Amino acid sequence: DMGELLGAGAVMSSLVRTRVGPYCLDEAVPMDQLTADSIAASLLPATTAVSHLPGYRCRETDLEEFRNGRRVIVKGVPAYSVEDVVAVTSPDGRLACLADYGAETKTLAPKRVFLT
């Protein structure tokens, strides 16, 4: 792409991705150092993957609604935009779902649910 933009050919012989979202290569655990016992200790919470999204900590009673794909009315919500996808966390801080915010109804509609 750079060669095309410059009007000259270009060839790339290698690429090292040093960052993807909030994850840096410097903080990664090399594959050869992972074992069945060490994987759990190396995992980051799912909330780190959605830290760039607006968030909402739901009530315990909302979890069943989200689990069943139902909208939840939210109160005292920051000003989300109509287009916002919201990272909903459970009262204990686990990622519960990603939800679309409905400004007219002041509801969160689950889009991807991570509850079991």
Side-chain angles (χ1 to χ4, degrees):
D1 290 342
M2 287 179 20
E4 225 175 88
L5 287 171
L6 296 171
V11 175
M12 181 171 60
S13 59
S14 71
L15 173 69
V16 175
R17 189 174 301 260
T18 60
R19 180 181 205 87
V20 175
Y23 308 109
C24 297
L25 182 61
D26 296 342
E27 298 166 354
V29 178
M31 292 288 290
D32 62 349
Q33 291 181 19
L34 287 176
T35 66
D37 296 329
S38 72
I39 287 177
S42 301
L43 293 176
L44 297 173
T47 53
T48 62
V50 294
S51 61
H52 63 287
L53 296 175
Y56 176 73
R57 186 165 297 232
C58 73
R59 301 169 297 229
E60 191 68 36
T61 55
D62 297 334
L63 293 176
E64 191 65 22
E65 299 300 312
F66 286 126
R67 187 178 284 115
N68 290 308
R70 293 189 286 262
R71 292 178 175 270
V72 170
I73 296 172
V74 291
K75 296 177 182 169
V77 178
Y80 298 131
S81 122
V82 177
E83 300 295 319
D84 278 343
V85 172
V86 178
V88 178
T89 55
S90 64
D92 65 0
R94 293 176 295 124
L95 183 61
C97 70
L98 298 180
D100 289 324
Y101 178 64
E104 290 181 18
T105 58
K106 303 240 187 287
T107 59
L108 289 172
K111 187 173 177 170
R112 298 283 184 270
V113 179
F114 305 105
L115 300 166
T116 54

